Structure formats: structure tokens, C-alpha cells
Amino acid sequence: MTTTITKEEVLNANLEEEASVLEIHNELVRRIPAEDSESLRVWLKTKLAAEAAQERIGFYLDEFGARDIRDIDTSEALALMGGLDVWLAQSDTMLHVYLLET
């Protein structure tokens, strides 16, 4: 018997891990095979923007070779998600998402 997982369940599990948007996207592609990669990327960007607007999540940037990670504001995170860099496995820039304290 197979169980069906929703996009929201994949996202929530990854938020607890403070996963990168690339890692979340890749898991969505694996776990939701009925949808194509681009539509899942659009869904993820839209969902993260909505969660950030409700102040439920935050973002930080982890660049390989950097000594520190840095929190970034939502507008910078959304701008990064609009480009390609954070979506490429070979990129040195990883955009992470985390749950804010409530």
C-alpha cells in the first residue's frame, strides 16, 4: 500500500530541518511525480512568499566558502528565488528556510 504525501507535508518536514529551497524543491520533485519541476518551483516560491508574509518563516543565506551564514530579509530571499542561482546544484549559494518562533 502506498501513501500519498502532499506538497504541504513535504514543505513542513523540510522547514523543521531548515533545508535549502533547492533541497525542498528536489524532494518535491521526487515525492510529487505527477507535477513537473517548474510548476513545483513556482508553487514553492509562492508558498514561501505567503508564509513569509504571515511571518511564519525566515531565510538565511549559506554561501560555500563563507565563514558565516547570514539572515536575509524576505525581499532579498524572494529576489534570489526569482533567479537561477539558488536552484542549481552546482551553485555556491544556498538559500535556507526556517520556522520563526511563535
Side-chain angles (χ1 to χ4, degrees):
M1 180 172 144
T2 60
T3 58
T4 303
I5 190 166
T6 67
K7 292 182 279 195
E8 287 81 7
E9 289 171 325
V10 171
L11 175 59
N12 289 334
N14 279 278
L15 284 174
E16 292 177 12
E17 300 291 324
E18 296 188 9
S20 72
V21 295
L22 177 60
E23 291 167 328
I24 298 168
H25 174 259
N26 288 344
E27 186 168 349
L28 284 167
V29 169
R30 284 191 304 276
R31 303 291 299 266
I32 316 289
E35 293 189 45
D36 67 271
S37 176
E38 183 58 28
S39 67
L40 289 168
R41 185 182 339 214
V42 169
W43 176 86
L44 182 57
K45 290 188 295 187
T46 302
K47 183 70 172 175
L48 292 176
E51 294 290 316
Q54 294 177 11
E55 298 182 350
R56 295 181 55 194
I57 62 169
F59 299 93
Y60 68 87
L61 199 57
D62 179 7
E63 296 178 292
F64 291 115
R67 293 185 178 182
D68 296 311
I69 59 173
R70 67 177 173 94
D71 283 322
I72 61 172
D73 63 30
T74 299
S75 62
E76 185 177 356
L78 295 176
L80 285 168
M81 284 190 281
L84 290 177
D85 203 32
V86 298
W87 303 106
L88 301 173
Q90 62 271 31
S91 174
D92 287 342
T93 303
M94 294 178 66
L95 177 62
H96 291 265
V97 184
Y98 64 92
L99 291 169
L100 293 173
E101 300 289 327
T102 55

